[in-house]
Amino acid sequence: MAASKGPLEGLIVLDLSRILAGPTCTQALGDLGATIIKIEHPDRGDDTRGWGPPFATGEDGQPTDLSSYFMCANRNKLSVAVDIATEEGQKTIHQIAARADIVIENFKPGGLEKYGLDHATLLTAYPQLIHCSISGFGHTGPNREKPGYDLMAQGYSGIMSLTGEPDGAPMKVAVGIADVMTGMYASIGILAALRHRDKTGQGQHVDLSLVDASLAWMINEGVAHLTTGKPRARRGNEHATIVPYQTFACSDGFVLVAVGNDLQYTRFCDFLGQPDLADDPRFATNSARVTNRETLIPLLEALMVQHSQADIVAGLEARKVPVGPVNTVEQAFASDQAMARGMRIDMAKDGIDRGGVELIGNPLKFSVTPVTYRRPPPHLGEDTQAVLDWLSGVRAAPEL
């Protein structure tokens, strides 16, 4: 008996998305066993193929069309080069949609109507489909026509106003977090819609926007504003409602301390040799520490800088106070924890100078139906002929 490819084995996903939000979603579905048919423009491909360097290098020493950006969200996919602006291309998309369970796209609202590939047309023709649309502002509202990129969503949602040093400029998160979180919400929405379809046979349209997703993950800071009606302050690496919960300078670098309750705070003060700071009514409870942070934090900073990072980590870990280093990306992926959890993976690929590519692993760990890594990120149009042969009945569905 062949090994399972994952809990979503047998599902077919028509992937009309590009850049990051949609591809993040479809890669997640592919890791769980679904067959992902990624449609790319024959000349340009996914925009992110050109977003480099760095690129994976071919055996000839030249850059390939596999940028690191493209590879981060496009494993476990078949690449089919199709021009949807042509009648032939639209026919191919309809042939795939007729066999698919899910369609995901990130065109501007209305952008697919002229091709007859919009959600209303496809759901009428194939009512079993789950059609997920991702856009900057969604298919309704006054801004629906505006384009959307991760940077604009971070700015619009307010997260940039809270990120950065208090006296500095608003700062975006270093990675495309609005795209990634929208992709995660898309995965949840699609799986919920599939559950409904399995019970009723009825497909539906799932409408997601980068801005909506970004507003949703404003979580405690967003609700704090809604509760008080007051602006929220930018606090750098400090926490809005937990103190101390931040970065501290030490004698040889930086360290993170996350004191989550009053008992941990008492133990923290014990490490510092300052039990009076735990007994002081200004600091004895978290609420008091939040109110008096401007007095407390300078006292703690002066004490912490007297210790090395290693001493702080060892001392606080021994007292069961959450603590950790500020790793570089290199240190994070080289850590024994990342290795033990399979967060750094190698995938063989012909034609690449190192014999393959190195990628970030999927964080999901299943006890029965594990994630599978079946195919590395594809070159543009790598699977076009195989998929066309499948549609014409010449061969079985392409294997992933």
Side-chain angles (χ1 to χ4, degrees), residues 6 22 40 48 70 74 103-104 111 115 119 129 137 156 168 179 205 212 235 301 313-314 316 347 354 373 388 397:
E40 300 190 68
T48 62
F70 176 83
N74 285 289
V103 176
I104 183 165
Y115 305 127
H119 69 273
L129 278 177
F137 290 88
Y156 196 96
D179 278 330
H205 184 221
D212 289 351
R235 296 192 177 278
E301 289 174 334
V313 170
L316 292 184
M347 298 192 75
R354 295 188 299 171
Y373 306 114
L388 293 178

Side-chain angles (χ1 to χ4, degrees), residues 268-336:
F268 178 49
C269 293
D270 175 69
F271 166 76
L272 294 174
Q274 299 290 331
D276 56 309
L277 290 179
D279 297 332
D280 191 318
R282 296 175 298 169
F283 314 132
T285 67
N286 181 68
S287 294
R289 293 192 294 275
V290 170
T291 300
N292 296 293
R293 75 164 76 222
E294 304 303 329
T295 301
L296 175 62
I297 295 304
L299 297 175
L300 298 179
E301 289 174 334
L303 294 166
M304 290 288 279
V305 77
Q306 300 174 28
H307 300 271
S308 70
Q309 184 187 83
D311 286 345
I312 294 171
V313 170
L316 292 184
E317 283 184 345
R319 291 168 174 80
K320 301 188 184 304
V321 177
V323 62
V326 181
N327 281 333
T328 63
V329 175
E330 180 181 9
Q331 290 169 330
F333 281 106
S335 69
D336 52 1

Side-chain angles (χ1 to χ4, degrees), residues 122-136:
L122 290 182
L123 284 171
T124 298
Y126 318 109
Q128 83 287 353
L129 278 177
I130 309 301
H131 187 123
C132 179
S133 297
I134 295 174
S135 59

